[in-house]
Amino acid sequence: MAILPGLSGIEVGVLVNGIPAREYPNLDDTDVSPTTVTKYIQSEDGKKFSIHLRVEDPYKFDEDCGTLGFKIFVDSRCVRKPYLRKEKYEGEYKRAWKQEVIGTKVADGIRAFQFVPIKMTESDDAALTMLDDEVSISKIGQIVVRLYRESDAVLADGSKFRRETLDPKDHAVHEMALKGESKSHGTALGEVTKVEGLETVLYKTTKLDGVDSPLAEFRFAYRSRAALQSLLVIPHGPDPSEVPLTPKRRGRPPKKVVNGKKSDLVSVAIPVAEAIELDKYANLTATQKKQVNELLASFSGKSSGRKVKRVAHGDMEVDTPTKRQRTTNIERSEQTKNNPKNKIVDVIDLSLEG
């Protein structure tokens, strides 16, 4: 919602399909008045939009102000004039008032505001009306809400009241009419939505500070996503809300790449004093890996000066018992069948595995 520092409690915003439009700052801010704020919003083909107004505490009416008058312009045309009377704000509404203007009232309902694409052509016939189209194009692309301090409201005669429409031109405009303009959308009114008991009450007031001196002015320049990117208002690339999320990987963890090959090895604790790097197991079968781990585990624990020799197996070297140690280990295995405290050691010949 757009706000002004000097008007705490007053907010104005645009909703697109019922959701507050994301507002982007005007990078080329030329607002010279401290009572004016300009924001960019994104427009999309066929989407409905509405104007949200809010006045709440801590805002307080001035002593000489009996009414706050909002004047809403869409593409330079005044489409609605909501009012907030001081007596209602401080009484019935308890200093918390809001209103959503979704469209223009007609005899039996409301026609909603919506964005529509500008039709373009390169035909020679369209060039004949290019000057008129340039004037029309210059007036579109902005939603403006002006807020006035006004006198007490009195009932007015509505017999001469006429609302302006937003129906766009039904002919295509020459693309040269858009030269230098980053515009791709206009606005229109949707189909009639019937509303039971719809009543319009007209009031007449006097602007206390004059027509050219509003209390505040809120401007919303609507553009397509591509146009906002060309203006450097938003970064190039796809809309983050439309990029699919990468699904979480389920099941087994991804294989580790070892020496250019995928391996099923994962981090495990090996009970040996001097662990051999797991990467050296890459070329072993699952059975060989298991046997190596068991063999290494048998060498852990107390060291009583056993002699071992280095044996090469492919691209790895392991410490393996000498012939005498293997014989001793086999003898010990026979002696420890009834003694579970001692470890059983199997002698493994890796060269026999596929």
Side-chain angles (χ1 to χ4, degrees):
M1 297 293 176
I3 59 175
L4 282 168
L7 287 177
S8 299
I10 296 180
E11 296 180 354
V12 176
V14 176
L15 279 62
V16 179
N17 277 4
I19 300 175
R22 183 173 180 178
E23 298 173 357
Y24 303 94
N26 180 16
L27 301 180
D28 296 325
D29 197 346
T30 57
D31 296 335
V32 295
S33 172
T35 61
T36 301
V37 59
T38 301
K39 300 289 185 180
Y40 278 104
I41 62 173
Q42 183 176 331
S43 57
E44 296 184 48
D45 295 359
K47 287 197 173 183
K48 296 180 180 179
F49 68 90
S50 57
I51 295 89
H52 181 80
L53 312 173
R54 182 191 295 272
V55 182
E56 60 185 7
D57 193 60
Y59 181 79
K60 295 182 179 180
F61 274 70
D62 296 332
E63 290 294 332
D64 61 339
C65 177
T67 307
L68 283 181
F70 294 87
K71 200 171 183 179
I72 300 175
F73 296 84
V74 177
D75 292 344
S76 303
R77 297 182 178 182
C78 181
V79 292
R80 290 287 295 275
K81 297 179 182 179
Y83 288 98
L84 173 61
R85 290 185 289 167
K86 181 178 180 180
E87 58 186 66
K88 287 274 190 177
Y89 175 69
E90 296 180 348
E92 179 181 344
Y93 300 134
K94 298 179 180 179
R95 293 189 176 182
W97 172 87
K98 64 180 180 180
Q99 183 171 336
E100 183 179 354
V101 181
I102 64 174
T104 295
K105 294 180 180 179
V106 292
D108 54 350
I110 293 178
R111 297 184 65 187
F113 302 129
Q114 66 181 41
F115 295 117
V116 293
I118 298 174
K119 298 178 183 179
M120 292 183 289
T121 182
E122 296 180 358
S123 71
D124 294 335
D125 292 339
L128 298 176
T129 60
M130 189 169 62
L131 293 178
D132 292 336
D133 291 337
E134 287 180 351
V135 174
S136 299
I137 294 299
S138 68
K139 295 181 179 180
I140 70 172
Q142 198 168 65
I143 301 166
V144 178
V145 179
R146 292 176 185 158
L147 175 60
Y148 293 93
R149 295 187 328 118
E150 303 186 7
S151 62
D152 291 334
V154 295
L155 289 174
D157 179 15
S159 59
K160 297 181 180 179
F161 179 73
R162 182 180 63 86
R163 299 185 189 277
E164 293 195 62
T165 65
L166 292 178
D167 293 318
K169 295 180 180 295
D170 57 3
H171 69 270
V173 299
H174 198 278
E175 64 176 10
M176 292 299 293
L178 286 167
K179 187 177 181 180
E181 296 278 3
S182 58
K183 298 177 180 179
S184 59
H185 290 95
T187 55
L189 297 174
E191 298 295 328
V192 176
T193 300
K194 292 187 177 181
V195 179
E196 297 293 335
L198 182 64
E199 182 181 3
T200 299
V201 179
L202 300 179
Y203 289 92
K204 183 178 180 180
T205 61
T206 300
K207 292 177 174 54
L208 300 179
D209 305 309
V211 177
D212 297 327
S213 301
L215 181 63
E217 182 167 313
F218 304 86
R219 300 174 181 175
F220 302 91
Y222 62 85
R223 299 288 188 275
S224 66
R225 181 173 181 80
L228 291 176
Q229 291 174 334
S230 69
L231 292 170
L232 303 180
V233 174
I234 61 176
H236 287 271
D239 188 341
S241 64
E242 297 177 355
V243 177
L245 297 177
T246 303
K248 293 184 179 180
R249 186 182 181 92
R250 296 184 179 181
R252 299 180 62 186
K255 292 185 177 182
K256 180 180 179 182
V257 177
V258 180
N259 295 331
K261 299 179 180 180
K262 290 186 177 180
S263 171
D264 289 320
L265 292 176
V266 295
S267 298
V268 294
I270 300 178
V272 293
E274 295 181 1
I276 298 178
E277 293 180 0
L278 291 179
D279 289 354
K280 294 182 178 180
Y281 292 167
N283 296 322
L284 300 184
T285 65
T287 303
Q288 287 175 328
K289 297 169 191 173
K290 179 179 179 182
Q291 291 173 339
V292 170
N293 284 338
E294 292 176 351
L295 177 62
L296 295 176
S298 69
F299 299 152
S300 64
K302 298 179 179 179
S303 175
S304 56
R306 295 183 300 177
K307 295 181 179 180
V308 298
K309 66 179 180 179
R310 305 289 293 185
V311 179
H313 293 284
D315 63 346
M316 67 172 285
E317 290 184 346
V318 297
D319 290 335
T320 176
T322 64
K323 181 176 180 181
R324 179 168 179 166
Q325 285 178 320
R326 289 199 294 271
T327 304
T328 303
N329 287 339
I330 294 175
E331 291 175 352
R332 287 178 180 175
S333 66
E334 295 294 331
Q335 296 173 0
T336 57
K337 289 182 179 179
N338 298 323
N339 188 357
K341 295 183 179 179
N342 296 323
K343 296 180 179 179
I344 298 176
V345 180
D346 294 326
V347 179
I348 305 166
D349 188 352
L350 298 178
S351 63
L352 298 179
E353 294 292 337

